Amino acid sequence: MEYSEETFLQHLAPTNPFPFLIPVERAEGIYLYSPDGRRYTDFISGIGVSNVGHRHPKVIDAIKKQLDKHLHVMVYGEYIQSSPNLLAKKLASLLPPSLDCCYLVNSGTEANEGALKLAKRLTGRTELVSFKKSYHGSTHGSMSVSGNEIKKTAFRPLLPDVRFIEFDHIDDLRHITTHTAGVIIETIQGDAGVRVPSQEFMKQLRKKCDETGAMLILDEIQCGMGRTGTLFAFEQFGIVPDILTIGKAFGGGLPIGAFISSHGRMKTLSHDPMLGHITTFGGNPVCCAAALSTLEVLTEGNILEEARRKGQMIESLLVHPLIREVRRAGMMFAIDFDSEERVQHIVKAALDNGVIGFWFLSHPYSFRIAPPLTITDEQIRESCDVILNAIKNS
Ligand SMILES: Cc1ncc(COP(=O)(O)O)c(C=O)c1O
């Protein structure tokens, strides 16, 4: 075993100057365990990943069964393997008919890269429209359509021809024109601090894309997979995207993403030029087995209905005069305070008492919570007590 901070800090490339540095030996359900026996409640699901909890028994079982058959055998798109086949069929059964074909990739950002390329390929246009304060990933294309200017400066030039408009502003939809290849939007903005658009805005957005022929790309990498109380957040707006992207919780703890559209649209990536998008590990059979069992857990039983109830329960428990505003979609929360410092204080105090919360990169004065959907009422009460105490002492 090797849990030394020195090794971590010296030999693993850092992403920021203040990493959490919690040593994790194992994880089960909603809990992470340190080698010294400390238990932490994961109230952020590893940032939107562990929607069915850590090591869900059905997910583990599916992984083990696939391990005994085969691991990687070929790059994506060549051999017929049961595990990706079953996953693709299941996804198609859960989505509208116009989203019947998935391209399996390795991460959220790669799903968005594929979606942006598909929109350009389908329309023959170059312009991309995105939204201020959005986050779509950290590779060059996804970063180009992400709203956080400070994060982008050091990496320019990025993609040309990207236009940013205001989220949830119907007026701004006029900037979507017949020059627009695709419009990419998080159905519910995550990193911006859980921003839920109006029904009318989403309807007008769909209409504008229909009128101009622009591809509507819904990024549900963070808000999908049951997080907001329905399997996909777009179900709550009565619209269907042309292209859907998913990731994070999709793999139940293993890395997998997908961009999804109709078979007719997807097949354009196979010619003129052929191999329009390729990936070695996309559709990895072990990840697909984990994703299929995750989908089964999310859709069999009442976990989604329960997520809606538990979201309300958390909201009704977390009441305190220092809270400025709560924004919530199902079990995805942003809780606003008066300052970034206060949020940091609350995160630290909660952590000292065994509950992991976080903030948002683009919205640091919000406390972030998104617990596993499998959390029990008792565990919710215990965790909310810890958070309330952290708020009181902040
Ligand atoms: C809405 C959204 N899109 C895309 C991504 C990028 O996903 P990944 O980190 O798997 O590349 C994220 C990650 O936080 C996200 O929240």
Side-chain angles (χ1 to χ4, degrees), residues 75-373:
V75 299
Y76 176 84
E78 298 292 341
Y79 295 173
I80 303 171
Q81 301 169 53
S82 176
S83 174
N85 254 12
L86 286 171
L87 175 61
K89 205 160 121 185
K90 180 76 177 172
L91 265 179
S93 77
L94 295 168
L95 284 163
S98 60
L99 298 173
D100 66 344
C101 186
C102 65
Y103 194 126
L104 299 167
V105 293
N106 306 286
S107 65
T109 197
E110 191 190 348
N112 285 335
E113 296 287 344
L116 297 173
K117 284 168 71 181
L118 181 61
K120 288 165 94 171
R121 172 68 180 83
L122 285 167
T123 58
R125 305 173 186 170
T126 53
E127 184 189 77
L128 296 166
V129 170
S130 184
F131 290 83
K132 293 183 184 162
K133 302 192 175 143
S134 59
Y135 181 72
H136 296 291
S138 198
T139 51
H140 271 83
S142 300
M143 180 180 262
S144 303
V145 293
S146 293
N148 192 327
E149 282 305 319
I150 297 164
K151 297 271 158 54
K152 291 193 283 190
T153 310
F155 304 105
R156 293 189 182 283
L158 294 171
L159 279 183
D161 232 0
V162 180
R163 187 185 274 263
F164 286 92
I165 62 178
E166 290 284 344
F167 188 76
D168 204 17
H169 281 217
I170 291 175
D171 260 8
D172 264 25
L173 297 177
R174 70 181 187 281
H175 297 295
I176 300 167
T177 69
T178 52
H179 296 291
T180 311
V183 181
I184 184 164
I185 183 169
E186 294 158 85
T187 314
I188 289 164
Q189 279 192 333
D191 189 49
V194 186
R195 307 282 164 180
V196 185
S198 72
Q199 293 279 329
E200 190 50 26
F201 173 77
M202 292 302 263
K203 290 216 162 62
Q204 293 298 327
L205 171 62
R206 178 65 276 183
K207 188 161 168 260
K208 192 72 185 178
C209 289
D210 287 338
E211 285 165 5
T212 56
M215 293 293 117
L216 177 57
I217 304 165
L218 291 186
D219 174 342
E220 297 226 357
I221 288 157
Q222 192 172 150
C223 65
M225 295 299 129
R227 173 55 55 197
T228 67
T230 50
L231 187 59
F232 302 103
F234 72 79
E235 294 169 45
Q236 296 168 39
F237 295 92
I239 60 160
V240 175
D242 300 306
I243 306 169
L244 173 70
T245 60
I246 56 175
K248 283 192 179 278
F250 181 34
L254 288 193
I256 182 168
F259 59 104
I260 306 170
S261 191
S262 68
H263 178 258
R265 288 185 171 136
M266 279 297 198
K267 76 175 183 213
T268 57
L269 290 177
S270 67
H271 61 90
D272 303 322
M274 64 182 271
L275 307 177
H277 189 74
I278 46 174
T279 159
T280 298
F281 287 125
N284 175 278
V286 182
C287 299
C288 288
L292 176 63
S293 58
T294 302
L295 276 177
E296 285 166 356
V297 172
L298 287 171
T299 53
E300 290 163 9
N302 61 352
I303 192 168
L304 299 176
E305 195 185 318
E306 278 289 279
R308 298 196 283 275
R309 183 187 64 78
K310 289 175 195 171
Q312 276 164 3
M313 179 180 171
I314 294 171
E315 187 168 354
S316 68
L317 288 171
L318 290 182
V319 176
H320 191 275
L322 283 172
I323 294 176
R324 292 273 168 101
E325 189 182 323
V326 177
R327 285 178 304 283
R328 175 175 78 86
M331 285 175 82
M332 182 173 175
F333 284 78
I335 303 173
D336 283 2
F337 291 91
D338 57 349
S339 69
E340 187 175 338
E341 291 68 37
R342 192 184 296 280
V343 170
Q344 292 299 326
H345 202 278
I346 294 166
V347 169
K348 179 164 185 326
L351 183 64
D352 288 346
N353 289 288
V355 174
I356 303 174
F358 218 70
W359 56 95
F360 298 87
L361 294 181
S362 302
H363 207 260
Y365 55 91
S366 283
F367 183 67
R368 169 188 217 144
I369 56 178
L373 311 180

